[in-house]
Amino acid sequence: METSPYVNCCPCSGLYLNARVQFTRNISSVDCTCIPGYFGPDGGPCSSCEAGKFKDSSGSEPCAVCPSGLFKEVTGPGACSACPAGTYHNGSSRERICAACPANSRSTAGSYLAVNCTCNPGYAGPDGGPCSACEAGKFKASAGSEPCAVCPSGLFKEVRGPGNCQTCPYGLVASASSASCLSCPNGSSYTSFPISAFSEFVFEQQCQSSISVAP
């Protein structure tokens, strides 16, 4: 009868993995190595990787710190994860949870600094916040730290925050602040003509004086 190459084998306990060396000999406790998520010398003892550290393979190598931008909240086995969009990795310690971006700002997945949070369209401020709503008469179409811009001539926006500049209803013209629409004053007439602020279909309304001036 064929003899097994594994003789007098004692099972490894708990956090050890039997290396099972193929020799006809007694294998010792040092052939038991720490399983993933645990570290220690061959033969033990094996200790859990701390939160913020990981170990993917069996052996005596130490646990490694999660790469920048990733975190791990639990001890022992587990993978390092990226913070989801709208959050960032809070602090240098890689076991800490993801912190939410300041109000009216957002980040991409895997962000690890507060400055990775940029102000949403309709809000202005430095990267990392705080982000303030654009005033009425001003707009901001993209995310980032650029300031809000005044609506193009002849257009208005009467709400704060997100929103597009629009043409005034027929018979009205944009105010000087571009925050509202006004009627033409007495002694003036209403006129409308296309402008190229956003598209060829946008029209600007203006009041023109109807009082003739003597030569």
Side-chain angles (χ1 to χ4, degrees):
M1 183 174 66
E2 183 179 356
T3 302
S4 170
Y6 308 107
V7 295
N8 298 325
C9 295
C10 296
C12 295
S13 61
L15 308 176
Y16 306 103
L17 178 68
N18 194 335
R20 301 192 72 185
V21 181
Q22 287 204 48
F23 292 103
T24 307
R25 66 170 177 79
N26 292 340
I27 60 175
S28 67
S29 62
V30 295
D31 293 314
C32 295
T33 57
C34 296
I35 62 176
Y38 298 86
F39 71 100
D42 292 344
C46 298
S47 302
S48 299
C49 292
E50 301 173 3
K53 294 185 177 182
F54 72 101
K55 178 170 170 276
D56 291 334
S57 59
S58 300
S60 58
E61 65 273 11
C63 302
V65 176
C66 288
S68 181
L70 303 183
F71 74 100
K72 175 174 167 280
E73 297 182 82
V74 298
T75 60
C80 299
S81 303
C83 288
T87 67
Y88 65 97
H89 184 233
N90 185 17
S92 58
S93 178
R94 289 176 171 69
E95 72 271 14
R96 297 187 65 180
I97 62 174
C98 301
C101 284
N104 304 313
S105 68
R106 188 167 177 79
S107 66
T108 57
S111 297
Y112 58 94
L113 295 173
V115 294
N116 296 138
C117 299
T118 57
C119 295
N120 294 332
Y123 297 88
D127 292 342
C131 300
S132 302
C134 294
E135 300 174 1
K138 294 185 177 182
F139 74 103
K140 179 169 169 277
S142 60
S145 58
E146 65 272 12
C148 302
V150 177
C151 287
S153 176
L155 303 183
F156 83 106
K157 175 175 165 284
E158 58 184 356
V159 297
R160 291 170 51 84
N164 298 322
C165 300
Q166 299 176 335
T167 302
C168 287
Y170 184 83
L172 301 177
V173 295
S175 64
S177 65
S178 298
S180 62
C181 295
L182 306 173
S183 299
C184 288
N186 293 333
S188 63
S189 61
Y190 172 84
T191 184
S192 176
F193 55 91
I195 58 176
S196 59
F198 296 114
S199 77
E200 58 182 328
F201 301 106
V202 174
F203 287 81
E204 178 181 354
Q205 283 81 246
Q206 286 187 354
C207 298
Q208 293 182 335
S209 174
S210 59
I211 301 175
S212 60
V213 180

